[in-house]
Amino acid sequence: MTASERIAVYPGTFDPITNGHAYILKRSLKIFDRLVVALAENVRKTPLFSIEERREMITAAVDRDPRIEVDAFGGLLVDYVRQRGATTVIRGLRALADFEYEFQAAHMNRHLAPEVETIFLMTSEESFYVSSSLVKEVALMGGDVSRMVPPGVAASLSHKYEAMRKKT
Ligand code: COA
């Protein structure tokens, strides 16, 4: 990273990445030179995919764009942002339901680290109803999710569920 580079952190669970996330990444690259997609070792969720599997799906979804790095972090987001030398967090906003949680989180993060700004970008019309959990639920029941996720992710979902079915 050079001193003049604008770098932002886009945190989340990305279990798995959806077209909504991919859209936010694309928009963010219009504002920032480099992005760090920060995979949270989220204590509140039990992910279906491992960190490595999620990292690979994101890297493939962005065509291995050298401006986008995928990393994992534990602990507080603001500590990670500071450690990476960034001062901006990007979050995607879908429908109204996201607002309350995001509003609280942004204020908490500002309280913890006043120098870190949160920027919200609106997701695309096509993905305002999409979430990783819904995509997983539809895929588990055999529904077609290929228009909601980047190429390769739908196949990863069916392989994952197939492997789980074989185990039981
Ligand atoms: N398009 C489609 N879906 C989107 C989306 C978009 N643009 N943006 C978010 N989503 C979905 C995700 O798929 C996810 O769906 P799911 O709940 O079904 O899995 C949901 O919205 C929210 O996910 P995400 O954006 O990945 O955030 P998160 O809630 O999983 O993680 C962290 C939030 C990681 C940023 C937050 O928990 C955190 O900062 N953790 C670190 C600990 C910390 O610092 N805590 C204090 C902060 S207040």
Side-chain angles (χ1 to χ4, degrees):
M1 185 179 91
T2 62
S4 59
E5 266 186 331
R6 288 163 306 170
I7 174 168
V9 173
Y10 181 28
T13 311
F14 302 99
D15 185 49
I17 182 170
T18 66
N19 284 344
H21 294 125
Y23 179 84
I24 299 292
L25 278 168
K26 203 168 136 195
R27 309 283 304 202
S28 303
L29 280 176
K30 290 186 174 172
I31 312 172
F32 296 94
D33 301 307
R34 289 208 312 126
L35 299 174
V36 179
V37 178
L39 286 166
E41 286 156 9
N42 199 326
V43 286
R44 278 181 281 162
K45 290 183 177 176
T46 312
L48 175 67
F49 292 101
S50 69
I51 291 277
E52 267 324 304
E53 288 170 325
R54 282 178 275 157
R55 188 200 300 268
E56 181 49 40
M57 282 187 279
I58 297 169
T59 312
V62 299
D63 291 328
R64 302 184 190 275
D65 189 324
R67 294 170 297 173
I68 300 176
E69 177 192 336
V70 187
D71 193 15
F73 78 102
L76 285 178
L77 172 64
V78 288
D79 289 342
Y80 177 76
V81 173
R82 280 173 169 156
Q83 185 197 317
R84 294 304 313 248
T87 50
T88 310
V89 170
I90 290 170
R91 294 290 289 164
L93 274 187
R94 292 166 301 163
L96 275 181
D98 282 341
F99 181 79
E100 196 165 335
Y101 170 76
E102 294 299 339
F103 184 77
Q104 272 187 324
H107 277 282
M108 177 59 80
N109 286 335
R110 185 181 295 165
H111 172 78
L112 295 169
E115 79 282 12
V116 173
E117 290 295 346
T118 304
I119 290 190
F120 296 100
L121 294 177
M122 272 187 289
T123 195
S124 59
E125 288 162 43
E126 298 82 35
S127 36
F128 76 93
Y129 61 91
V130 173
S131 73
S132 301
S133 306
L134 267 185
V135 162
K136 283 182 280 190
E137 188 176 314
V138 172
L140 175 66
M141 311 284 174
D144 180 11
V145 294
S146 57
R147 281 165 52 200
M148 297 169 217
V149 292
V153 172
S156 300
L157 278 162
S158 29
H159 291 152
K160 180 64 89 176
Y161 286 129
E162 187 64 25
M164 283 166 69
R165 272 189 209 106
K166 279 187 183 150
K167 271 192 199 162
T168 52

